[in-house]
């Protein structure tokens, strides 16, 4: 079961053009394309006649022509031509149309009731247009596991001490106490680590020498959007009520998990930092480090999926799972409410 009445990231906007692109999202087959004016469109990828994928057809103007018998559909899903029927279009010749929006260089799709789709509720990325912030190109990674295992991982600051030894680990990441708070959209798991060296990934990025105060901020919002914020600041300037100083370094990793089906996840990310807006070399270095780390996660999570599928004895939870369990409970309540209204 997935939450449907919300916005998911289908992919990077640049990857959708004047061609038919097939994807499975939330267990549903969808075909994407752009109209002549550049606006995106998304339809159920199945002709109502014999369910041939429309993505096997062709794009003519702003319509999709089925490759079997020529039934033609506009961006609203209505059939506009049926050559074999002498123009007598069957009333049931309709396919589902999905609301889609370009924003933040991403293509967002609404998988639920189209009448409830409000672009104003798309997840906000603060400072996206701020010219003083630098941004990486990001990436996309298929992971062979249920999306909630990725969610759990991104609400777990402790795993970096064992999985990301050469990148995000550091003193205190294995044992410092975690704080958790609930938000309107999900949960935040965080902690401050004081007077310790910067992690390997950040040691050449911060703008001051010596040890630092460091914050790990892991935030998850429904349906599955993670904001992982790293704050590095000189010793004595960090803490819950501290005001940033000129040397304070902030990097935010935005992570968008879209379920493909129950056992596969599409993982899209990019990073946003409060320094070096035009330094391409730094962006490329950061992106390469993220790719390495996320592939380390991929290896672990795909093994977790196999282990959970083949479990003999019950799995257990640890104290560090409180944030993930709290988020899962909130999400499940929303899914249950949505299903009850169907």
């Amino acid at each position: 079961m997935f939450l449907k009445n919300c916005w998911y990231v289908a992919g990077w906007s640049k990857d959708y053009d004047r061609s038919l692109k097939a994807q499975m999202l939330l267990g549903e087959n969808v075909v994407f394309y752009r109209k002549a004016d550049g606006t995106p469109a998304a339809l159920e990828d199945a002709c109502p006649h014999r369910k041939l994928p429309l993505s096997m057809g062709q794009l003519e103007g702003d319509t999709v022509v089925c490759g079997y018998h020529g039934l033609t559909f506009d961006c609203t899903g209505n059939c506009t031509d049926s050559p074999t029927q002498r123009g007598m279009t069957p009333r049931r010749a309709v396919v589902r149309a999905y609301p889609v929006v370009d924003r933040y260089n991403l293509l967002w799709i609404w998988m639920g009731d189209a009448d409830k789709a409000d672009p104003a509720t798309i997840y906000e990325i603060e400072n996206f247009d701020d010219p003083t912030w630098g941004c990486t190109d990001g990436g996309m990674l298929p992971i062979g596991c249920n999306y909630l295992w990725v969610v759990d991982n991104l609400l777990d600051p402790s795993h970096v001490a064992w999985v990301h030894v050469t990148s995000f680990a550091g003193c205190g990441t294995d044992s410092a106490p975690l704080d958790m708070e609930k938000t309107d959209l999900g949960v935040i798991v965080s902690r401050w680590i004081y007077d310790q060296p910067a992690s390997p990934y950040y040691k050449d990025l911060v703008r001051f020498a010596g040890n630092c105060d460091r914050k790990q901020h892991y935030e998850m919002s429904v349906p599955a959007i993670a904001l992982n914020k790293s704050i590095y600041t000189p010793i004595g300037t960090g803490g819950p009520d501290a005001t940033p100083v000129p040397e304070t370094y902030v990097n935010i990793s935005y992570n968008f998990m879209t379920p493909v089906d129950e056992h596969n996840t599409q993982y899209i990310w990019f990073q946003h930092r409060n320094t070096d807006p035009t330094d391409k070399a730094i962006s490329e270095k950061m992106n390469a480090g993220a790719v390495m780390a996320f592939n380390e996660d991929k290896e672990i999570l795909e093994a977790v999926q196999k282990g959970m599928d083949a479990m003999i004895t019950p799995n257990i939870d640890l104290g560090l799972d409180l944030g993930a369990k709290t988020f899962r409970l909130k999400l499940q309540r929303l899914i249950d409410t949505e299903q009850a209204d169907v």
Side-chain angles (χ1 to χ4, degrees):
M1 288 288 187
F2 307 111
L3 190 65
K4 298 290 187 73
N5 287 323
C6 54
W7 293 98
Y8 289 90
V9 170
W12 292 100
S13 292
K14 62 181 176 60
D15 294 332
Y16 299 86
D17 53 25
R18 291 284 292 161
S19 62
L20 300 176
K21 180 181 178 69
Q23 285 182 252
M24 177 176 283
L25 302 171
L26 279 65
E28 300 180 20
N29 291 307
V30 184
V31 58
F32 295 87
Y33 65 97
R34 289 193 183 275
K35 298 189 291 182
D37 65 1
T39 57
L43 300 174
E44 174 188 358
D45 194 14
C47 178
H49 174 224
R50 289 293 184 265
K51 299 301 180 180
L52 182 77
L54 289 175
S55 56
M56 294 179 65
Q58 59 186 345
L59 186 60
E60 289 187 358
D62 289 344
T63 61
V64 180
V65 181
C66 178
Y68 200 4
H69 295 97
L71 268 68
T72 302
F73 301 89
D74 64 18
C75 64
T76 68
N78 289 317
C79 184
T80 61
D81 192 17
S82 51
T84 65
Q85 304 303 301
R86 300 179 182 271
M88 299 294 291
T89 303
R91 286 183 298 174
R92 293 192 296 166
V94 177
V95 295
R96 182 180 177 188
Y98 298 84
V100 281
V101 174
D102 282 308
R103 190 169 297 175
Y104 307 126
N105 297 330
L106 300 166
L107 187 67
W108 300 76
I109 184 169
W110 183 274
M111 301 293 292
D113 183 348
D115 292 335
K116 297 179 179 180
D118 180 2
T121 62
I122 289 175
Y123 185 86
E124 181 183 4
I125 297 178
E126 295 182 355
N127 300 309
F128 185 79
D129 295 319
D130 187 333
T132 67
W133 281 64
C135 191
T136 66
D137 289 338
M140 179 191 299
L141 184 68
I143 304 181
C145 74
N146 185 281
Y147 77 111
L148 289 175
W149 297 128
V150 189
V151 166
D152 287 1
N153 188 67
L154 289 170
L155 277 172
D156 171 21
S158 299
H159 82 276
V160 302
W162 288 271
V163 180
H164 305 307
V165 176
T166 62
S167 53
F168 301 135
C171 294
T173 57
D174 57 346
S175 59
L178 293 166
D179 298 317
M180 191 203 77
E181 61 180 291
K182 297 179 182 179
T183 68
D184 291 340
L185 294 177
V187 298
I188 297 172
V189 176
S190 65
R191 63 181 164 197
W192 277 95
I193 299 171
Y194 300 98
D195 192 7
Q196 295 292 344
S199 68
Y201 183 85
Y202 287 101
K203 67 181 180 65
D204 295 327
L205 296 173
V206 297
R207 291 293 185 264
F208 55 90
N211 284 1
C212 62
D213 294 342
R214 170 189 184 186
K215 186 181 185 182
Q216 290 179 293
H217 175 109
Y218 285 37
E219 181 175 348
M220 189 67 63
S221 297
V222 293
I225 298 174
L227 181 160
N228 289 0
K229 181 188 300 183
S230 296
I231 300 176
Y232 286 83
T233 193
I235 297 171
T237 64
D241 301 316
T243 301
V245 298
E247 298 86 356
T248 300
Y249 182 89
V250 179
N251 183 55
I252 300 174
S253 178
Y254 288 98
N255 309 270
F256 307 93
M257 284 68 68
T258 301
V260 175
D261 55 29
E262 291 287 354
H263 286 82
N264 292 279
T265 301
Q266 176 181 273
Y267 179 25
I268 288 178
W269 78 89
F270 73 91
Q271 288 139 315
H272 207 201
R273 61 184 183 271
N274 70 336
T275 64
D276 308 297
T278 61
D279 196 320
K280 186 176 180 180
I282 286 181
S283 293
E284 290 177 347
K285 180 180 178 180
M286 293 180 70
N287 213 45
V291 169
M292 180 188 72
F294 295 155
N295 274 293
E296 291 171 340
D297 285 325
K298 174 183 170 75
E299 181 179 7
I300 293 291
L301 294 172
E302 290 182 343
V304 164
Q305 181 69 59
K306 292 177 181 177
M308 297 299 289
D309 287 343
M311 76 165 71
I312 298 174
T313 57
N315 71 296
I316 64 170
D317 292 319
L318 302 175
L320 59 86
D321 298 311
L322 177 60
K325 291 173 64 178
T326 302
F327 180 80
R328 280 181 179 245
L329 181 60
K330 179 181 183 66
L331 181 61
Q332 189 59 53
R333 285 172 175 165
L334 291 172
I335 293 172
D336 291 343
T337 299
E338 187 175 272
Q339 290 296 309
D341 292 338
V342 173

